[in-house]
Amino acid sequence: MRILILGADGYLGWPTCLYFSQRGDEVIGVDNYFRRNAAVELDCESLIPAPDLFQRAEIWEDISDKKIKVHAGDITDYEFLLSIFREYNPDAVVHYAEQPSAPYSMINRDKAAFTLQNNLISTLNIIYAVKEVNPDCHIIKLGTMGEYGTPNIDIEEGWLDIEHKGRKDKFLFPRQAGSLYHTTKIQDTDMLWFYVRTWGIRVTDLMQGPVYGLSTEEADMDPQLMPSFHYDEIFGTVLNRFIVQAVAGYPLTVYGKGNQTRGFLNLKDTMQCVYLSAMQPAEQGQLRVFNQLTESFSVNQLAEKVKAIGDKMGYNVKIDHIENPRVEKEDHYYNVHYTGLAELGLEPHYLTDQVLEKFFEITSKYKDRINKDAFFKGIKWK
Ligand code: USQ
């Protein structure tokens, strides 16, 4: 398969390039280095020093004898994206090239406008490039579980059957996001659904929960192949933050009551989910939605797990409850249905004590690089 990975420099993008390449697919990776630049601007750089895409591709080629073609460029520039599609004519495109942070989108008007512009125009450009170059190309879009919010009913896998005044129909499951970033993902879904209905394109929308971890089969071959890894308030997801906080001797930053519950997955499972979706594509004229998570935890449960393993390893972990900077429900119902990816063949890597121990071991090697000022800057939702 010839696969185009947009956002190839990121936490998920780079390991995805390696995963497909290792399995014999032809990989083209594109990135505009937005996150690298934003991390410098906001003083919250990756824990692990990540060579740039060109250097990484060379390191990978030396190790594996496999080539990943890389391009630096901005896919909101339609001519640039079109030139990539024309040059490679991919069978599938994976869209990670979005501004991925809820706190970033809430910093100020400019960051909000950037998030809207980047996320919506990049998605629109992909749709147009697919139509213009190869309408059969499968779009794999990273959505988020945060599109659904925390409704007081079960969360179905993308769609909801509704009976109203004696008539029945099927709709996208109701969406109600908790940040402007999450809102752009809803808008993406709506836009993709419109073009699926209108142009008959094929789309898989992966509603992903927060991802944790560092280790993948390929990244474990050489530390220089590890993903960029953020533990700061802006780009770090909650469990990744807690591990690095524990290693640094910084009290774990549980926001508010800590009963907020989300669906999580191991980085290794993100790779599997995207790969399985690519190998078993959506039909033409289908918007296929999968809920991409393997287990649910509250923030308190995660903090307790990190403390238990951290203490066992001699870290003396403290847990702090700080005023919640976000506007979100701290007590809520959460029951998500997710069978689609398992049916495609997903074999989950659960959050075991061994996984946590290994996570501690890897991050502790980079202890000297931890910037404690990045743990909490206090970006408030209002
Ligand atoms: N939280 C804390 N303490 C922290 C950080 C977060 O209590 O130090 C809480 C948050 O308030 C929230 C939960 O942990 O209730 C999850 O926060 P998060 O920062 O791990 O995740 P989120 O901002 O929702 O975004 C992340 C990714 C995003 C992805 C999303 C999936 O950055 O790209 O879309 O996870 S989901 O959360 O299901 O919407």
Side-chain angles (χ1 to χ4, degrees), residues 100 102 144-146 181-182 208-210 236-238 241-242 253-255 260 262 299 326 328:
T144 167
M145 283 300 297
Y181 150 73
H182 288 97
Q208 183 168 245
T237 49
V238 61
R241 282 165 60 63
F242 284 178
T253 54
V254 172
Y255 294 167
Q260 304 91 301
R262 300 287 183 270
V299 174
R326 305 183 181 197
E328 62 184 354

Side-chain angles (χ1 to χ4, degrees), residues 74-369:
D74 185 347
I75 67 159
T76 64
D77 172 354
Y78 185 58
E79 290 309 315
F80 167 72
L81 183 66
L82 197 56
S83 71
I84 297 283
F85 266 82
R86 289 211 166 110
E87 187 174 344
Y88 297 104
N89 193 12
D91 301 306
V93 51
V94 182
H95 183 18
Y96 289 118
E98 299 215 345
Q99 190 298 95
S101 158
Y104 184 94
S105 75
M106 302 300 288
I107 291 176
N108 58 31
R109 196 216 71 97
D110 284 358
K111 305 282 194 249
F114 173 81
T115 304
L116 267 175
Q117 206 269 345
N118 181 78
N119 293 3
L120 297 184
I121 298 302
S122 62
T123 302
L124 182 75
N125 284 353
I126 293 166
I127 294 167
Y128 264 84
V130 162
K131 174 159 185 278
E132 209 162 324
V133 177
N134 175 13
D136 203 35
C137 175
H138 178 206
I139 299 175
I140 300 170
K141 167 73 176 59
L142 268 290
T144 167
M145 283 300 297
E147 291 181 41
Y148 302 124
T150 50
N152 198 31
I153 58 172
D154 284 10
I155 296 175
E156 303 297 333
E157 199 145 19
W159 303 91
L160 186 64
D161 293 313
I162 293 189
E163 191 172 340
H164 181 65
K165 296 184 177 170
R167 304 181 70 82
K168 288 181 188 167
D169 207 341
K170 188 176 185 173
F171 296 91
L172 282 168
F173 192 90
R175 266 93 168 140
Q176 41 189 359
S179 76
L180 182 77
Y181 150 73
H182 288 97
T183 301
T184 63
K185 295 271 182 165
I186 297 176
Q187 294 168 317
D188 279 338
T189 300
D190 276 337
M191 184 163 40
L192 288 162
W193 179 215
F194 169 72
Y195 286 110
V196 163
R197 295 195 311 270
T198 308
W199 290 346
I201 55 176
R202 56 172 90 219
V203 178
T204 298
D205 200 355
L206 298 171
M207 312 296 279
Q208 183 168 245
V211 182
Y212 61 84
L214 263 172
S215 168
T216 67
E217 185 192 320
E218 296 77 27
D220 289 351
M221 293 177 189
D222 185 317
Q224 295 185 94
L225 294 176
M226 296 230 274
S228 63
F229 180 82
H230 286 269
Y231 57 91
D232 58 274
E233 177 187 346
I234 300 166
F235 293 114
T237 49
V238 61
L239 181 56
N240 290 353
R241 282 165 60 63
F242 284 178
I243 296 281
V244 181
Q245 289 170 351
V247 167
Y250 190 98
L252 310 190
T253 54
V254 172
Y255 294 167
K257 289 187 199 165
N259 294 326
Q260 304 91 301
T261 303
R262 300 287 183 270
F264 291 83
L265 77 163
N266 190 308
L267 177 61
K268 289 178 178 166
D269 292 341
T270 296
M271 306 302 103
Q272 275 194 77
C273 293
V274 172
Y275 187 77
L276 290 165
S277 300
M279 294 301 145
Q280 299 162 79
E283 303 292 329
Q284 284 214 313
Q286 183 191 14
L287 172 64
R288 183 174 63 163
V289 184
F290 293 130
N291 291 344
Q292 188 162 312
L293 62 148
T294 60
E295 46 194 339
S296 296
F297 298 107
S298 70
V299 174
N300 284 331
Q301 285 171 325
L302 291 178
E304 290 301 336
K305 277 177 180 287
V306 171
K307 179 171 169 49
I309 298 299
D311 286 351
K312 207 172 102 190
M313 295 175 77
Y315 283 106
N316 186 22
V317 180
K318 301 233 167 358
I319 298 176
D320 206 0
H321 283 260
I322 58 181
E323 191 189 333
N324 196 338
R326 305 183 181 197
V327 176
E328 62 184 354
K329 286 184 201 151
E330 293 178 6
D331 291 299
H332 59 88
Y333 180 75
Y334 201 70
N335 188 29
V336 185
H337 293 264
Y338 50 102
T339 54
L341 287 160
E343 281 161 17
L344 292 191
L346 171 67
E347 290 174 11
H349 295 81
Y350 294 113
L351 185 61
T352 60
D353 290 357
Q354 291 73 22
V355 167
L356 282 166
E357 271 167 34
K358 184 165 181 200
F359 202 178
F360 264 98
E361 278 162 19
I362 302 178
T363 48
S364 65
K365 290 187 192 145
Y366 299 89
K367 192 175 173 191
D368 293 347
R369 285 179 52 92

